[in-house]
Every structure is written in C-alpha cells, then in structure tokens.
Amino acid sequence: RILDEHKIAHTQETTISGMRRNMMACVALPTCPLAFAEAERYLPTLVGRLEGVLERCGLRDRDIVIRMTGCPNSCGRPSMGEIGF
C-alpha cells in the first residue's frame, strides 16, 4: 500500500514476504565461539523454502515471526517467535 501511495513500481516477485520481513537469527558459526550450527547464514535459505508453502496457503503477506539460534544460549530468542529453531 505504501509503495502504491508513493508510485513506486513493484511486483509480487520484488516485494518481500511477511516472514522474510520478520526473520531474525543470531550470528552463530563462524562468528560465535559457542555456536554448534549456522543460523544467520542458513535462515534466508529456510525462509525461501517456506515462502513457497506460504504462497500456496495464501499466507505470503502475513507477518509471521521466525527466529533461529545456533546454540543453547538462545541469542536469537527462538522462544519469542511464532516459529523458533
């Protein structure tokens, strides 16, 4: 809606999904010495896969919060998201 109001050209392919707008991950590997897994580098790939499912279910533009962390310290706060890893 805001893009339309300001006459900025956009398409379904160039507009990010609600999940992508609301994704958060800790830095994890290789930055954090406590990390067991990659979070920040893998989350965009995971969200890309989930966007296809969201599209089929008509939920692409819904603001779904997804969070990912790379270790038990939970710096990415997965318990605060609607989907947490």
Side-chain angles (χ1 to χ4, degrees), residues 2 21 24 28 39-40 52 65 81:
I2 293 173
R21 279 192 307 270
M24 177 187 283
E40 186 178 46
V65 178

Side-chain angles (χ1 to χ4, degrees), residues 2-72:
I2 293 173
L3 296 175
D4 291 333
E5 288 174 13
H6 296 281
K7 296 179 176 59
I8 297 172
H10 64 283
T11 64
Q12 186 78 3
E13 291 78 31
T14 61
T15 305
I16 61 173
S17 70
M19 181 177 280
R20 195 166 294 273
R21 279 192 307 270
N22 291 285
M23 68 181 191
M24 177 187 283
C26 68
V27 295
L29 288 177
T31 306
C32 178
L34 300 174
F36 299 136
E38 292 187 6
E40 186 178 46
R41 292 195 291 179
Y42 181 69
L43 186 57
T45 302
L46 176 64
V47 169
R49 292 179 179 191
L50 292 174
E51 283 173 329
V53 175
L54 293 174
E55 185 74 42
R56 287 194 303 272
C57 296
L59 300 172
R60 184 180 188 282
D61 295 323
R62 298 293 298 265
D63 288 329
I64 300 170
V65 178
I66 182 169
R67 295 183 175 210
M68 181 177 277
T69 192
C71 80

